Amino acid sequence: MLLRILLVGLAPMRSVWVPILVFVSVATMTGANFAALTQTNTKRLLAYSSIAHVGYMLLGLVAGTATEPNADGIKGILVYLLVYTFMNLGAFAVITSLRHRNIAGDDLDDLNGLYSRAPVEAVLMLVFMLSLAGIPPLAGFWGKYFIFLSLIETKHYVLAALGVLYSVFGLYYYLKIANAMFMRQPEKGEERLPISFAMRIAVAVTGLATLYIGLLPNQFIEMVNWALGIASQPNVAGLR
């Protein structure tokens, strides 16, 4: 909806809303990342990271509406929305499954030693965290790749540098979760945790989608090109 409003309805007022968009995106990334850095509550950490990801997508909109419009910025937003759906739902699915098994799940310490109690969930949670951080070859990498590429192509070097810097911040607090799961000792015994069939399906689907899109992104990027009507333009970044 925001893309439709700004790119079509308010296109003539671009000089008015682009500076506002730059401010909002930087403020969003700054506030959300610093809030996430200090969180010990897992759900709040993921919630603040969600806000930060919106800031990254707004950067793509800034680049996509530059003086010479850049298709890679809008492409990055669409790819980002696709991959973020799976990796974020997967992360919250793991936390929800812990809640359903009478594990608090909210505090970071509740994930201590999760690998010894639920190894499959712990490994998938690690996949989701690395993907959210934009580590290749996982799905989250491609969203950030096209957005940062579009910023560089449109000479928004400062915004690109800020985006990369805040991605490093994100990697730090995502790895805090990984450290708790794999490096710490469990506080509530080492018995294996059961998982319901429905939750297995939910976590498996999101995990496989995160891996599949990351390893074989071509068909999804071609779908985005088709959606934007730029499939035939050779100057648009692709993987061929």
Side-chain angles (χ1 to χ4, degrees):
M1 184 183 295
L2 185 63
L3 289 174
R4 289 288 186 182
I5 292 173
L6 295 180
L7 297 180
V8 180
L10 298 180
M13 299 178 62
R14 178 192 167 279
S15 60
V16 175
W17 55 258
V18 165
I20 298 174
L21 200 63
V22 171
F23 172 79
V24 171
S25 62
V26 173
T28 299
M29 291 188 301
T30 303
N33 277 295
F34 277 101
L37 283 172
T38 60
Q39 280 299 318
T40 58
N41 182 293
T42 310
K43 284 187 176 180
R44 290 177 185 171
L45 189 154
L46 292 176
Y48 280 121
S49 78
S50 300
I51 298 172
H53 285 289
V54 173
Y56 298 133
M57 285 186 273
L58 290 178
L59 290 180
L61 185 53
V62 171
T65 56
T67 304
E68 296 181 2
N70 183 282
D72 286 331
I74 308 303
K75 180 195 294 189
I77 295 175
L78 297 185
V79 173
Y80 216 117
L81 288 171
L82 171 67
V83 301
Y84 186 77
T85 299
F86 291 107
M87 56 193 184
N88 204 49
L89 283 177
F92 275 105
V94 172
I95 300 300
T96 301
S97 70
L98 298 179
R99 293 278 302 197
H100 287 172
R101 284 172 288 179
N102 296 322
I103 298 179
D106 283 352
D107 290 331
L108 194 59
D109 290 340
D110 293 326
L111 298 178
N112 288 351
L114 182 64
Y115 179 71
S116 64
R117 307 182 69 192
V120 174
E121 286 179 290
V123 170
L124 287 175
M125 188 67 166
L126 176 62
V127 169
F128 298 137
M129 293 298 99
L130 294 178
S131 185
L132 285 167
I135 302 298
L138 300 172
F141 166 76
W142 296 110
K144 283 189 170 68
Y145 167 78
F146 283 111
I147 286 177
F148 293 159
L149 174 65
S150 66
L151 290 170
I152 293 172
E153 289 175 339
T154 55
K155 297 181 172 54
H156 290 92
Y157 301 121
V158 174
L159 293 179
L162 282 175
V164 172
L165 175 63
Y166 285 135
S167 293
V168 174
F169 286 7
L171 178 61
Y172 170 76
Y173 55 73
Y174 290 133
L175 288 181
K176 287 201 311 183
I177 295 178
N179 178 67
M181 294 189 299
F182 290 92
M183 304 303 293
R184 296 180 184 175
Q185 295 299 318
E187 298 180 353
K188 300 181 180 180
E190 297 187 3
E191 68 279 3
R192 290 296 181 95
L193 300 174
I195 179 172
S196 67
F197 178 76
M199 191 58 70
R200 285 179 187 272
I201 295 298
V203 175
V205 168
T206 53
L208 289 174
T210 300
L211 290 169
Y212 185 78
I213 297 174
L215 294 171
L216 300 170
N218 271 331
Q219 58 184 307
F220 299 97
I221 293 173
E222 289 173 359
M223 290 169 59
V224 170
N225 285 343
W226 173 81
L228 295 174
I230 57 177
S232 61
Q233 293 185 16
N235 61 330
V236 176
L239 300 180
R240 295 180 180 179

